[in-house]
Amino acid sequence: MSLSHNADGPQLNLAGRLDAQNAAELRGVLARHAADTPGDLSLDLSGVSFMDSSALAALVGALKDRRREGRALRLSAASLSVRELLSLTMLDRVFALPPDGAAR
């Protein structure tokens, strides 16, 4: 997990497997970045090879926390497997995924 900055502000780049074994760590990282970075946060999930429901719950929790603060959590990119999970759970609408071409 690494933080970078682009024209739209801070972006957290996630890679590898996001599952029950590291969901608590993911929640902590998202909470720390919420506390340390003003404004909105983008997540780049293009390097995520697998995501399960516990990691998805961590993202939804972070989204709710940001919205409560009047800020946004956006997905700037997502791997095909993440896109499929978000589509199956209809959370692709909630996270407003960019077009497929941006997912690679």
Side-chain angles (χ1 to χ4, degrees):
M1 297 180 212
S2 66
L3 184 68
S4 61
H5 292 271
N6 58 30
D8 296 327
Q11 177 171 293
L12 186 60
N13 304 300
L14 303 174
R17 292 178 60 89
L18 298 178
D19 55 27
Q21 291 185 346
N22 58 17
E25 178 186 359
L26 177 60
R27 277 190 201 90
V29 166
L30 291 169
R32 274 193 306 281
H33 285 293
D36 295 344
T37 56
D40 300 341
L41 178 66
S42 292
L43 296 179
D44 181 337
L45 304 176
S46 60
V48 175
S49 58
F50 174 81
M51 179 185 290
D52 73 3
S53 61
S54 56
L56 188 57
L59 293 183
V60 170
L63 175 68
K64 287 180 179 181
D65 291 344
R66 288 266 174 171
R67 284 184 174 174
R68 246 186 317 254
E69 298 166 353
R71 301 188 291 167
L73 180 70
R74 295 188 179 90
L75 301 185
S76 61
S79 65
L80 181 59
S81 63
V82 172
R83 282 182 170 278
E84 288 174 351
L85 176 63
L86 293 171
S87 178
L88 286 170
T89 58
M90 291 195 266
L91 288 171
D92 54 341
R93 298 172 188 165
V94 174
F95 282 102
L97 280 168
D100 282 342
R104 312 273 184 252

